[in-house]
Amino acid sequence: MGGTLQIVVCAHHRRELDRILEAEAPGDADVLELPSRCGRPPLREGELGDLLRRVRPGSFCALGGPCVQQFSHRLGLAGLEVAGHCMENLVDSGVLRAWIAEGAYVVNPGWLANWREQIDEWGFDAESARSFFSESAASVLLLDTGVDPMANARLEAFARFVQLPSRRIDIGLDHLRGRVREKLLAWRVQHGNSSEAA
């Protein structure tokens, strides 16, 4: 096989992707990690430039949402398929929209592993963070993919900090695994490696 598929992914989803690639595609895929910003502040020129120098147009795909869209536009790939919300990579979009409509602020283990840094990057102190989250969410919902044994403890710490109720749902990796398999299959077929996709 010539080369590998490059998968662009937010750092918040890196552990899930690595777990899947270990089982599904050892040697078939490389990961290009975007800094985890959740859109604010936007990626800096130096960060984008570093990624742009490493990407191989025609041999990459993206797993993400609006943050990844910014990266794809810089490559001149306005049609690159990305999700409207990054958590759509982990669960069905209709289910996710229903949770958000109920007022859930939806997070995964990767987001929770860096929640304090995320709050700092947004420029929030404790009071402004509580104000922001109370105005925009009624609860915090962890989509637990099983990649971090500390995720539940981090959920409780974050929920206490923003003074919101929390809950977790065990979702595993099946949804994301299916998306990764689709992208790998398409890449293998495109590069004449369809016999390896079975």
Side-chain angles (χ1 to χ4, degrees):
M1 180 188 308
T4 57
L5 173 66
Q6 290 179 310
I7 302 177
V8 179
V9 70
C10 166
H12 288 156
H13 298 270
R14 176 70 187 260
R15 289 179 70 178
E16 284 90 354
L17 181 58
D18 284 346
R19 178 82 58 89
I20 290 166
L21 290 177
E22 285 172 13
E24 298 290 329
D28 275 5
D30 298 315
V31 179
L32 294 180
E33 182 180 295
L34 282 174
S36 51
R37 292 282 164 64
C38 297
R40 182 177 168 186
L43 295 174
R44 295 185 293 270
E45 282 298 314
E47 294 166 329
L48 281 169
D50 177 59
L51 288 162
L52 289 168
R53 282 189 292 276
R54 293 189 298 152
V55 76
R56 297 186 309 271
S59 292
F60 85 101
C61 66
L63 286 168
C67 295
V68 175
Q69 187 74 60
Q70 177 194 3
F71 172 68
S72 68
H73 280 308
R74 285 294 305 273
L75 284 173
L77 298 169
L80 184 67
E81 178 192 349
V82 296
H85 190 293
C86 61
M87 296 300 169
E88 290 176 24
N89 291 302
L90 302 178
V91 293
D92 176 79
S93 60
V95 173
L96 179 66
R97 284 195 299 270
W99 287 329
I100 293 172
E102 293 170 357
Y105 186 78
V106 184
V107 296
N108 75 322
W111 193 93
L112 286 172
N114 298 295
W115 73 265
R116 289 186 185 277
E117 293 86 349
Q118 188 72 67
I119 294 293
D120 289 344
E121 284 198 327
W122 287 348
F124 291 154
D125 58 17
E127 184 178 343
S128 58
R130 288 172 186 143
S131 175
F132 170 81
F133 282 98
S134 67
E135 290 173 7
S136 58
S139 64
V140 182
L141 173 61
L142 165 62
L143 303 182
D144 198 344
T145 56
V147 299
D148 184 358
M150 294 298 296
N152 198 53
R154 290 179 173 132
L155 170 66
E156 292 173 2
F158 173 63
R160 278 195 307 272
F161 184 80
V162 295
Q163 297 179 347
L164 286 175
S166 66
R167 66 182 175 129
R168 64 183 268 276
I169 296 177
D170 293 317
I171 62 164
L173 293 170
D174 288 347
H175 192 82
L176 181 59
R177 183 178 290 110
R179 302 217 47 204
V180 171
R181 282 177 175 165
E182 287 174 10
K183 292 179 182 296
L184 282 166
L185 177 60
W187 179 78
R188 287 167 176 159
V189 169
Q190 178 185 357
H191 288 79
N193 300 301
S194 57
S195 63
E196 298 182 33

